[in-house]
Amino acid sequence: MSDAKFKDGAEAPLRLIARDEEDLRVISACMQDAVFAGDQIHWDAKKRALTVLVNRFRWEDAARRTERVRALLRIDGVLRVQSSGVSRDADIVLSALALSWAAAADGAGRLELVLAGDGALGMDVECLEVSLADVTRPYAAPSNTRPGHPDV
């Protein structure tokens, strides 16, 4: 994390970078229950970058507040993207569950953004390079509750 703050000195926005599996677990935990519309997924093949603009729940402060914040998930070095059960419709809300990583011997590998409802975005990447950065101030979660998960 950095010590960045908004111009008025308000609480620092979250900024994380993952270049190994341990760091990715931290970003994955912050992305849990993030919601976004399918039209917020952008892959730039020339820049080999996939970005997703999400509304993430602020798990890092969940003991004190029920807030969400807009954040940008960016994955660099993306060679190929495959999706399963992912709508690109602006009216369909997708919910993130986790990010998973399967490394190859050469440092490349397969990164997957797992979504609720059996959806997934799979990416073949040159190396693990993922960032998550808050881009707005936190706001009260509309339901004023923490996301919940039914017992399975």
Side-chain angles (χ1 to χ4, degrees):
M1 277 195 259
S2 75
D3 59 359
K5 293 189 180 284
F6 288 105
K7 288 183 181 182
D8 65 2
E11 186 175 335
L14 182 75
R15 299 197 187 286
L16 301 172
I17 296 173
R19 292 198 175 103
D20 62 35
E21 197 166 356
E22 185 176 330
D23 291 342
L24 185 66
R25 283 193 289 274
V26 174
I27 290 179
S28 180
C30 290
M31 279 289 295
Q32 184 178 356
D33 297 305
V35 293
F36 56 96
D39 67 343
Q40 297 301 304
I41 304 166
H42 300 283
W43 181 39
D44 185 328
K46 286 184 181 179
K47 292 182 180 178
R48 291 186 274 174
L50 182 123
T51 57
V52 185
L53 185 60
V54 304
N55 292 311
R56 73 173 191 85
F57 186 78
R58 293 188 68 238
W59 286 109
E60 67 275 16
D61 202 19
R64 294 185 311 141
R65 302 177 214 175
T66 54
E67 295 178 327
R68 284 195 174 267
V69 64
R70 296 280 280 173
L72 186 67
L73 176 69
R74 181 181 170 104
I75 300 156
D76 289 302
V78 178
L79 303 171
R80 185 172 72 143
V81 178
Q82 294 174 304
S83 66
S84 170
V86 178
S87 172
R88 296 298 307 272
D89 190 331
D91 295 328
I92 302 295
V93 176
L94 303 169
S95 182
L97 296 178
L99 286 160
S100 66
W101 170 248
D106 61 356
R110 179 93 174 154
L111 184 67
E112 189 168 84
L113 174 58
V114 180
L115 305 171
D118 296 326
L121 279 174
M123 292 148 278
D124 294 327
V125 297
E126 297 173 316
C127 62
L128 184 59
E129 189 169 346
V130 179
S131 63
L132 179 65
D134 291 348
V135 296
T136 66
R137 293 175 185 275
Y139 59 90
S143 66
N144 202 30
T145 60
R146 289 175 194 81
H149 300 276
D151 293 332
V152 179

